[in-house]
Amino acid sequence: MFSSVRARLTLWYTAVLALVLVTFGFATYTFLARMIRQRMDDSLAEAANAFATVFTAEHQEEEQSSDEAAIEVIRQFRFRDHHFIVYGDGRRLVAAAPAIAPDLFASDESLSLLPPMAILLETAVHSGRAYATLRQGDAGVRAFALATHVGAQSYIVVVMRSRHDQEEALEQVRHGFYVAVPLALLLASLGGYLLARKNLAPIVAMSDQAARIGAENLHERLTVANEHDELGHLAAVFNNLLTRLNRSFEQQRRFTADASHELRTPVAIVRGEAEVALSRKQRSSEDYRESLAIILDEGQRLTRIVEDLFTLVRADAGQHVLALSDFYLNELVGNCVHAVRNLATTQGLNLFYEPPAEMMYRGDEELIRRMIMNLLDNAIKYTAAGGVFVLCEQHEAEYQIAVADTGPGIPADAQAHIFERFYRADKVRSRAETSYGGGTGLGLSIARWIAEVHGGRLELDRSDATGSVFIASLPKPTEPA
Ligand code: ADP
């Protein structure tokens, strides 16, 4: 039931509001009760003071005994809800509002016998004034006692008032809260639920939209209602993700299409060659050898393409584990140069290599060899005359291996694409066999990946009519290997 964010939000909202309302109600009620009680105490004190003033005046003006004056004043002081009692010395009951006393107390005697009343009178004798709440009926009676002297006598004037009205008012307030708080909570939770639903509606719409997006319609985007709010931001982030996914899907699609296209040619050649070989009953062994040589050649080419593809797929998945070892980079470059020297000579090219100082390195030797061989092979393959120069340099933080040639250079518009997979600026020459195999258009992208996976870079430094220069930079090992 509470699995939806909407319901949980409403629940939280209602719970917090309930806490606030109950606290607020409780505080208000306490304050109100205290204020009402204070008012009653003030009014009792006021009435007692007025009574004492009139009592003294009555005694002086009428020249009657103080007890008689008390009885007279009690007669005059007829408030609807205030009850007066006058005690003389020793808790002697002098006068009491006659019509009222029987409502509150069983008898006049019981007035002075009630233990709280006794305490009240006692306190008033000592402190001059005192308050007490007497148990009487449901709500009780609030009493105020004031000690006063009239003539030679000392009296205690007690004013009492039933707490019934006051308690009834407070009860009404309580009942008001009992109804108002749950009603307010109900309305607020309903409002909260509707509000949550309204605010979460864009998320629901977004998830519906997102659910409809698949591989076939990855170009679709979520609607961004307001890009400045959180939901708009979420939609924008999601759309960016879709753009990136779409791009990599596109790349993947193109890669697959290019790969199958690349594989199709050697497979067609193998098939065609086999068909030709089998078409006639009798052929010379020379012819068979020729066909088989072509089939072997294309088979090798297929193997290379599949291996390159496999390398790239594993590189993309981040699954290629580097077989790290310590070796001398200068030696490895030397070995590679040695391996292609024959090929270069056969093509009438000069191969210049100045062995550098020791270059200690830590990396995947096989991969680094592959990168260098690819650069050398390309240089030889695409250079008709002149030479290939290999230069190793040590910089502060990196080693640089530069492979320069005197070839025709790479067309300006092709330079930006040569590191892309399957890109070949010179398709005819690219298919030519080299020491490292015929071109597949994957060589430079694999070489660049090798440099990058070692924390380095592979860049085309320069390419024009006088030749091309590729530079591979590899970071020096931080600690002595
Ligand atoms: P390929 O297998 O076709 O050589 P690469 O990825 O190694 O594939 O190279 C991509 C393209 O870059 C080549 O087809 C070629 O057109 C161009 N290229 C690479 N190296 C050179 C170079 N040294 N001189 C001229 N063109 C080059």
Side-chain angles (χ1 to χ4, degrees):
M1 180 191 179
F2 297 120
S3 55
S4 84
V5 175
R6 221 174 325 174
R8 278 205 302 273
L9 268 180
T10 311
L11 196 74
W12 270 107
Y13 173 68
T14 313
V16 170
L17 192 73
L19 192 75
V20 170
L21 279 182
V22 167
T23 314
F24 176 76
F26 188 74
T28 310
Y29 178 78
T30 313
F31 176 74
L32 202 71
R34 186 175 295 173
M35 206 177 70
I36 289 179
R37 284 173 189 146
Q38 185 62 47
R39 279 225 185 123
M40 182 185 232
D41 284 358
D42 292 348
S43 104
L44 287 176
E46 227 171 85
N49 283 324
F51 188 95
T53 314
V54 176
F55 186 9
T56 313
E58 182 75 19
H59 169 64
Q60 284 165 357
E61 284 166 21
E62 302 298 329
E63 292 180 1
Q64 47 191 192
S65 81
S66 51
D67 281 7
E68 279 168 356
I71 292 163
E72 180 55 31
V73 176
I74 281 257
R75 224 165 28 81
Q76 290 173 19
F77 269 70
R78 289 205 177 254
F79 287 86
R80 192 178 60 81
D81 46 4
H82 286 70
H83 317 299
F84 294 88
I85 309 168
V86 180
Y87 293 95
D89 289 329
R91 278 193 256 157
R92 176 176 58 88
L93 184 63
V94 177
I100 298 151
D103 298 351
L104 296 172
F105 305 102
S107 64
D108 288 351
E109 283 73 34
S110 69
L111 281 177
S112 41
L113 294 177
L114 274 170
M117 182 61 102
I119 296 167
L120 176 72
L121 297 179
E122 208 57 47
T123 319
V125 168
H126 286 108
S127 321
R129 51 196 287 137
Y131 286 101
T133 303
L134 312 178
R135 284 190 183 283
Q136 183 67 36
D138 285 347
V141 170
R142 186 71 174 156
F144 174 67
L146 177 72
T148 180
H149 291 276
V150 178
Q153 300 278 340
S154 45
Y155 290 92
I156 294 175
V157 176
V158 176
V159 190
M160 292 190 292
R161 188 177 169 183
S162 166
R163 293 174 65 210
H164 182 263
D165 290 354
Q166 171 193 350
E167 290 307 314
E168 203 175 57
L170 286 176
E171 194 172 308
Q172 274 171 6
V173 172
R174 274 201 306 271
H175 279 139
F177 278 135
Y178 293 156
V179 176
V181 169
L183 199 72
L185 281 180
L186 191 74
L187 288 176
S189 56
L190 201 72
Y193 182 78
L194 292 177
L195 215 67
R197 204 168 75 166
K198 184 174 179 304
N199 279 308
L200 291 176
I203 295 190
V204 177
M206 263 158 63
S207 59
D208 286 350
Q209 248 183 319
R212 282 196 298 272
I213 297 177
E216 62 295 334
N217 58 344
L218 256 184
H219 57 276
E220 279 187 24
R221 295 290 174 268
L222 300 185
T223 327
V224 183
N226 175 6
E227 63 189 45
H228 300 296
D229 69 8
E230 290 85 344
L231 293 183
H233 185 66
L234 178 69
V237 169
F238 192 80
N239 283 345
N240 281 342
L241 174 74
L242 284 178
T243 306
R244 289 200 302 276
L245 272 180
N246 196 16
R247 206 175 300 142
S248 77
F249 248 72
E250 260 321 304
Q251 272 172 4
Q252 213 66 36
R253 232 185 302 229
R254 213 171 43 226
F255 183 66
T256 317
D258 288 348
S260 45
H261 179 78
E262 206 60 36
L263 290 169
R264 201 181 292 155
T265 316
V267 168
I269 294 174
V270 167
R271 214 178 125 184
E273 207 49 50
E275 276 170 4
V276 168
L278 293 171
S279 59
R280 263 190 271 146
K281 276 219 163 123
Q282 274 299 325
R283 298 190 77 187
S284 66
S285 61
E286 196 63 24
D287 286 347
Y288 281 127
R289 285 190 74 82
E290 206 173 296
S291 291
L292 281 175
I294 293 174
I295 289 172
L296 178 67
D297 215 37
E298 290 305 316
Q300 278 168 348
R301 185 172 165 73
L302 274 173
T303 310
R304 251 184 337 267
I305 296 175
V306 170
E307 269 170 12
D308 282 356
L309 285 176
F310 188 58
T311 306
L312 282 172
V313 167
R314 289 219 305 177
D316 283 350
Q319 284 175 346
H320 199 108
V321 184
L322 296 184
L324 294 179
S325 64
D326 298 324
F327 59 93
Y328 288 100
L329 200 55
N330 53 306
E331 271 181 29
L332 180 65
V333 177
N335 288 344
C336 293
V337 170
H338 183 75
V340 295
R341 192 170 286 285
N342 267 347
L343 187 74
T345 318
T346 327
Q347 276 192 225
L349 297 173
N350 287 318
L351 186 54
F352 298 99
Y353 173 59
E354 184 81 25
E358 275 187 355
M359 290 159 79
M360 196 52 173
Y361 189 66
R362 183 171 176 77
D364 189 319
E365 192 171 355
E366 206 33 59
L367 285 183
I368 301 283
R369 181 195 310 277
R370 200 162 163 185
M371 178 183 78
I372 299 165
M373 286 301 279
N374 184 271
L375 294 179
L376 288 174
D377 275 342
N378 278 350
I380 294 168
K381 186 163 58 176
Y382 298 108
T383 306
V388 172
F389 304 82
V390 181
L391 194 71
C392 291
E393 278 183 3
Q394 290 206 35
H395 293 274
E396 200 178 324
E398 59 185 20
Y399 296 128
Q400 281 191 342
I401 305 160
V403 178
D405 61 58
T406 55
I410 303 163
D413 55 336
Q415 288 183 15
H417 303 288
I418 54 168
F419 291 101
E420 287 172 14
R421 293 168 186 188
F422 295 112
Y423 184 85
R424 286 180 298 185
D426 183 348
K427 297 201 169 45
V428 180
R429 205 177 286 264
S430 170
R431 274 185 64 83
E433 277 301 321
T434 65
S435 69
Y436 206 67
T440 58
L442 293 173
L444 281 181
S445 50
I446 292 180
R448 175 168 264 188
W449 166 73
I450 294 172
E452 284 172 356
V453 87
H454 280 84
R457 335 180 276 289
L458 173 62
E459 285 153 338
L460 173 64
D461 185 55
R462 175 183 67 79
S463 188
D464 51 33
T466 58
S468 312
V469 182
F470 284 89
I471 297 182
S473 312
L474 296 170
K476 277 183 176 175
T478 41
E479 45 194 273

